[in-house]
Amino acid sequence: MLTTDHDAPGPDGGPLRGLTVLELAGIGPAPFACMNLADLGAEVLRLDRPGGRRPFADWHRILDRGRRSVTLDLKHPGAVAAALRLVERCDVLVEGYRPGVAERLGLGPLVCRARNPRLVYARMTGWGGDGPLAATAGHDINYLALTGALDLLGPPGGPPVPPANLLGDFAGGGLSLVCGILAALLERDRSGEGQVVEASIVDGTASLLGMVLAMRDSGAWPGRRGENLLDGGAPFYTVYPCAGGGHIAVGALEEPFYAALLHGLGLDPAALPDRWDRAHWPRLREAIGGRFARGTRDRWTEVFAGTDACVTPVLTLAEAPHHPHHRARGTYVADGTGTAPAPAPRFSRTAGRLPRPAPEPGADTREVLARAGLADAEIDALLAAGAAGPRGRPAGAQRSSSSPRPERRTLRRAAGPTGNP
């Protein structure tokens, strides 16, 4: 069960409660990975750059939830020293820079793991840390194009269609990074040492293609784009337009599901061709599509409700949160700023809670630096020099009743052997 009370007392808080993550602020897949870690209960400290509002802040409203924010100008030696104090007390560091940038800032893995040998240093890359394209700019669409994934998507006879940035940035990149971090933390419990984890969007997307590659090699994916079993080519695994402009999704692969589909549509199986003969797919598509075109999306939703035909309405982003199934499970929640997905997956014993909304850059600078062991005088000097900010409250100032209550625990120093990685 998920509670939406960000600061509710009790033992719950997710299975990663007690884990501390330092995130070097970026955009896209690395913030998505850190959102997942925060959703699972980790404390995520985002190290922001000076300059006020973050780039794409509105787009990252959900990706940036569950953080505390520290603003440090890493071009200032004192700020780098303060960042390394945070590194000493964190379990994981996440960065999504191009290769070599973190090293030039003085926060590369050699320096950080020398300070904290138990640190899991997680790098989110596009092309990977080496290879001819390592230092080249790229976005989700470019990574999908080079792996072959983009060529799978889209209608037959048309150009490939990018699936927003879901497949590369978030599935191939962000979730791959989360998997690597959790695996490295598990290994650390055995060895006592951290390590560097590199997640490449190209590598992660290629791993998602495993079944499709096997289908192609075995002859089960012989067609071009939009002509195969799982890409909309099969008339029993595709999307059909309905009367009134809506669409219905059909996934009737297995025989009982296909029988339920035909029954709901009022089609006689004996009058239809063998569905596994691809030569008959155009005729079968015409028969099924013709029936769906006679009714609205909502009408067909009613017809197939409670059946195993694997027929569902194609909902818009505005409609989806209001579907009875999502409402019953709390799949989408109101986070105080809008609609957001609830944390996933769910746990029976270490239930999570909805993380607090995304912080303003630097909102927790003084508090977090103090918890890392910096004295008030050190923090005041960083603020006065412009190396940290925004300017916090003077030492000893009272917190207003509307300000969030600071956590009482201090950032723990990671224990373990000393020395270089």
Side-chain angles (χ1 to χ4, degrees):
M1 178 180 179
L2 174 74
T3 175
T4 56
D5 184 349
H6 309 295
D7 299 305
D12 295 342
L16 296 186
R17 187 182 185 194
L19 189 80
T20 303
V21 178
L22 180 63
E23 173 192 11
L24 306 188
I27 61 173
F32 174 76
C34 289
M35 180 199 78
N36 278 271
L37 296 174
D39 286 357
L40 292 173
E43 180 181 29
V44 180
L45 309 174
R46 189 181 71 211
L47 201 162
D48 277 312
R49 301 172 184 176
R53 187 171 173 81
R54 301 186 65 235
F56 308 109
D58 292 340
W59 299 7
H60 282 68
R61 172 182 66 83
I62 295 172
L63 300 189
D64 286 345
R65 70 188 182 189
R67 314 289 210 277
R68 296 190 187 278
S69 172
V70 181
T71 299
L72 291 174
D73 183 358
L74 296 179
K75 297 179 181 179
H76 191 290
V80 175
L84 289 172
R85 297 278 288 275
L86 295 174
V87 167
E88 291 173 358
R89 292 161 171 81
C90 289
D91 298 285
V92 180
L93 182 148
V94 176
E95 62 97 346
Y97 300 142
R98 291 201 207 186
V101 172
E103 284 81 353
R104 290 195 294 273
L105 291 173
L107 292 174
L110 291 177
V111 173
C112 290
R113 294 204 58 250
R115 290 291 192 100
N116 179 359
R118 287 177 55 84
L119 181 73
V120 172
Y121 193 105
R123 318 195 84 157
M124 183 73 257
T125 69
W127 304 107
D130 56 9
L133 296 177
T136 306
H139 281 296
D140 184 289
I141 191 171
N142 308 116
Y143 309 130
L144 296 190
L146 207 67
T147 59
L150 186 59
D151 189 57
L152 301 175
L153 310 173
V161 177
N165 63 334
L166 304 178
L167 184 56
D169 279 354
F170 301 140
L175 286 181
S176 178
L177 186 65
V178 171
C179 179
I181 289 170
L182 298 181
L185 289 170
L186 182 64
E187 193 280 335
R188 187 182 72 173
D189 287 342
R190 297 193 295 266
S191 68
E193 291 199 43
Q195 59 183 303
V196 178
V197 176
E198 179 202 286
S200 156
I201 296 175
V202 168
D203 295 347
T205 302
S207 74
L208 298 174
L209 294 172
M211 193 176 86
V212 175
L213 291 171
M215 292 177 71
R216 184 200 61 180
D217 292 342
S218 65
W221 197 283
R224 295 168 297 181
R225 181 170 53 256
E227 297 179 351
N228 300 284
L229 181 64
L230 301 178
D231 63 358
F236 45 86
Y237 196 92
T238 191
V239 176
Y240 288 100
C242 302
H247 290 81
I248 208 83
V250 176
L253 286 174
E254 292 80 2
E255 294 301 332
F257 305 159
Y258 182 62
L261 169 67
L262 298 185
H263 177 77
L265 291 173
L267 291 171
D268 180 6
L272 297 174
D274 178 9
R275 68 177 179 134
W276 296 111
D277 186 340
R278 292 171 182 266
H280 297 316
W281 279 5
R283 178 184 165 194
L284 190 56
R285 181 182 299 275
E286 182 179 357
I288 295 174
R291 289 301 175 99
F292 277 121
R294 296 181 186 179
T296 65
R297 183 198 69 175
D298 293 346
R299 171 58 181 155
W300 291 117
T301 300
E302 293 176 1
V303 168
F304 288 102
T307 74
D308 280 342
C310 299
V311 173
T312 54
V314 178
L315 301 180
T316 66
L317 288 176
E319 292 174 315
H322 304 288
H323 189 277
H325 184 78
H326 296 319
R327 292 177 68 88
R329 286 181 53 80
T331 305
Y332 295 92
V333 295
D335 66 356
T337 60
T339 301
R346 307 180 186 202
F347 299 84
S348 64
R349 184 170 53 81
T350 54
R353 60 173 58 94
L354 184 66
R356 60 177 55 85
E360 290 297 320
D364 308 289
T365 298
R366 177 177 287 278
E367 176 187 326
V368 171
L369 292 179
R371 287 169 49 202
L374 276 73
D376 286 339
E378 293 178 282
I379 299 173
D380 289 339
L382 289 171
L383 293 170
R391 185 177 297 277
R393 293 179 306 282
Q398 294 297 314
R399 176 178 296 271
S400 68
S401 60
S402 61
S403 299
R405 182 175 58 193
E407 296 185 14
R408 294 185 180 276
R409 69 181 179 86
T410 58
L411 286 170
R412 63 180 178 81
R413 180 182 295 271
T418 60
N420 292 322

